[in-house]
Amino acid sequence: MMEEIHDEPIALERAFRAERAHAFEFKRFCGRQNFRLIVLVARGTSDNAALFGRYLLELTTGIPVSLAAPSVHTLYHARLNLRQALVIGISQSGEGTDINLVLQAARRQGACTVGITNEPHSAMARLVDEVFLVRAGRQRSVAATKTYTGQLLVLYLLASALGQAVTLEEVGRIPGHVRQALRLESEIRELVERYRYMHECAVVARGLNYANAFELSLKLMETCYVVAERFSAADFLHGPIALVERDFPVMLFMPPGKTFAEMNRLAKRLRQLRAETVVISSSDSKLPAATRALRVPDVIPELYTPIPYIVPGQLVAALLAEAKGIDPDRPRSLKIVTRTR
Ligand code: AGP
């Protein structure tokens, strides 16, 4: 897992260089289609990438985006009208049974289908109209890290093809921001000692980093066996805040930008409750309410924070597992490919 986290800057550069021309061609194709709806379908970490895709694509293209409920297709066999829809499947392995069944059904129902996968010879790559490759190199760790950030990068490329707001210049800077984020490793190695006996926590974010709350909590569950619940900062105030007592750990993603004021309001409330907060943010933000802060060294526009911001989260999970004496590469009861319907 640590090796794959360290591979991320190079893997992201490789994907960017190889797929940007493809995104440019796809832009021409999209110009002729007039897509009215985008549907994303995935499981596990790839589904967290899809959740990010929902925010990114709605914000930057104006096209409504929905996350597919696979059972609607695979168990209930519903017929949907997917004409003028773009259906995007995301799967590291490209072998998720239900994801591929949804893509097949979507094609029959009139959609244009795209696959985002790390495996060029996978079932997904063979069945979709257009394949974008993550090019992260073979994933060996059960815990997906480099393929998550690679999937997010490809989603930026698709956003640049479908709208105007994402610039390839900024996307091209992401691997550099990730290199900077990796410099937090020794600080995180010290920090995790404090959480060696943590059994439960909440992870909270809003907007573009909401998917990262899901991803960090998944990583904490599968590699550290911590019961990690994830929430939007708004939903957290509608009930879960009642869980919080003195020293209850809450991790927060707080990039400077549109979501900062709301996240900061929550951080202040958590301080009043004497919770233990760990904030992931940038070097330029003011964080008086945090117990602990992990600051990604670069100043990054909010739209481009999700990839560099998950990196300290991945390091927390990998190093906390080590501190707890758990091998993060062999989580109990898990394999790299999980087949569900
Ligand atoms: C990731 O850390 C998990 N082990 C798991 O959730 C994985 O992302 C999921 O099984 C999806 O796999 P896929 O991307 O190969 O379809």
Side-chain angles (χ1 to χ4, degrees), residues 1 42-48 90-99 116-117 119 124 139 141-145 147 151 215 218-219 222-223 331 334-340:
M1 185 180 179
R43 288 283 185 204
T45 284
S46 302
D47 200 28
N48 299 337
I90 309 177
S91 172
Q92 183 286 125
S93 62
E95 299 298 342
T97 313
D98 41 10
I99 307 314
I116 300 177
T117 180
E119 290 296 335
M124 175 185 276
Q139 181 186 313
S141 172
V142 170
T145 53
T147 51
Q151 289 165 345
E215 180 53 12
L218 175 57
K219 288 283 111 43
E222 67 179 344
T223 63
L334 278 175
K335 289 194 256 159
I336 290 192
V337 181
T338 305
R339 289 192 167 81
T340 46

Side-chain angles (χ1 to χ4, degrees), residues 8-21:
E8 287 180 273
I10 286 177
L12 290 165
E13 265 158 11
R14 194 187 305 125
F16 179 68
R17 265 190 258 115
E19 295 295 337
R20 73 181 155 187

Side-chain angles (χ1 to χ4, degrees), residues 152-203:
L152 265 53
L153 186 113
V154 172
L155 285 161
Y156 280 108
L157 295 179
L158 288 180
S160 77
L162 288 155
Q164 312 296 326
V166 167
T167 73
L168 291 182
E169 204 188 344
E170 287 289 349
V171 180
R173 292 202 180 108
I174 291 174
H177 298 319
V178 169
R179 259 190 201 98
Q180 293 297 316
L182 286 168
R183 287 173 51 201
L184 293 168
E185 182 176 334
S186 55
E187 190 180 327
I188 294 173
R189 200 174 275 283
E190 268 177 45
L191 177 90
V192 294
E193 285 303 323
R194 190 177 166 92
Y195 302 103
R196 182 192 283 245
Y197 301 106
M198 178 172 83
H199 294 296
E200 55 185 15
C201 71
V203 189

Side-chain angles (χ1 to χ4, degrees), residues 6-287:
H6 282 281
D7 281 351
E8 287 180 273
I10 286 177
L12 290 165
E13 265 158 11
R14 194 187 305 125
F16 179 68
R17 265 190 258 115
E19 295 295 337
R20 73 181 155 187
H22 186 185
F24 198 71
E25 260 171 50
F26 190 63
K27 190 181 182 84
R28 264 190 252 147
F29 169 77
C30 291
R32 299 192 296 269
Q33 300 304 308
N34 191 24
F35 292 121
R36 306 288 293 271
L37 171 69
I38 300 172
V39 179
L40 297 161
V41 57
R43 288 283 185 204
T45 284
S46 302
D47 200 28
N48 299 337
L51 182 57
F52 162 75
R54 182 202 174 172
Y55 281 83
L56 179 75
L57 293 166
E58 284 197 336
L59 283 170
T60 63
T61 71
I63 304 170
V65 181
S66 144
L67 299 179
S71 64
V72 167
H73 301 267
T74 62
L75 304 179
Y76 293 99
H77 305 289
R79 293 189 58 77
L80 304 185
N81 177 354
L82 291 175
R83 280 190 297 273
Q84 283 185 282
L86 175 65
V87 178
I88 305 174
I90 309 177
S91 172
Q92 183 286 125
S93 62
E95 299 298 342
T97 313
D98 41 10
I99 307 314
N100 289 340
L101 286 170
V102 173
L103 289 167
Q104 271 164 0
R107 281 192 82 171
R108 283 197 302 274
Q109 290 154 7
C112 169
T113 55
V114 165
I116 300 177
T117 180
N118 196 37
E119 290 296 335
H121 306 296
S122 59
M124 175 185 276
R126 288 195 300 273
L127 78 86
V128 290
D129 297 304
E130 197 75 39
V131 190
F132 283 82
L133 292 174
V134 169
R135 299 173 193 272
R138 178 56 55 82
Q139 181 186 313
R140 294 185 197 286
S141 172
V142 170
T145 53
K146 61 178 181 175
T147 51
Y148 174 69
T149 49
Q151 289 165 345
L152 265 53
L153 186 113
V154 172
L155 285 161
Y156 280 108
L157 295 179
L158 288 180
S160 77
L162 288 155
Q164 312 296 326
V166 167
T167 73
L168 291 182
E169 204 188 344
E170 287 289 349
V171 180
R173 292 202 180 108
I174 291 174
H177 298 319
V178 169
R179 259 190 201 98
Q180 293 297 316
L182 286 168
R183 287 173 51 201
L184 293 168
E185 182 176 334
S186 55
E187 190 180 327
I188 294 173
R189 200 174 275 283
E190 268 177 45
L191 177 90
V192 294
E193 285 303 323
R194 190 177 166 92
Y195 302 103
R196 182 192 283 245
Y197 301 106
M198 178 172 83
H199 294 296
E200 55 185 15
C201 71
V203 189
V204 184
R206 194 84 200 265
L208 285 155
N209 273 274
Y210 182 43
N212 277 347
F214 277 67
E215 180 53 12
L216 174 52
S217 67
L218 175 57
K219 288 283 111 43
L220 289 169
M221 288 189 272
E222 67 179 344
T223 63
C224 305
Y225 312 146
V226 169
V227 181
E229 279 287 351
R230 51 282 174 113
F231 302 98
S232 94
D235 281 331
F236 197 67
L237 293 170
H238 282 268
I241 190 144
L243 281 171
V244 177
E245 56 190 353
R246 189 186 173 142
D247 297 334
F248 185 86
V250 185
M251 307 202 179
L252 302 104
F253 287 93
M254 285 182 61
K258 299 268 188 210
T259 59
F260 189 84
E262 278 302 293
M263 290 300 299
N264 207 27
R265 200 160 70 91
L266 174 63
K268 283 184 182 151
R269 184 88 187 273
L270 291 170
R271 191 157 91 158
Q272 284 162 3
L273 295 170
R274 304 173 84 182
E276 169 83 19
T277 54
V278 179
V279 170
I280 297 177
S281 191
S282 293
S283 48
D284 56 333
S285 48
K286 288 196 177 66
L287 305 168

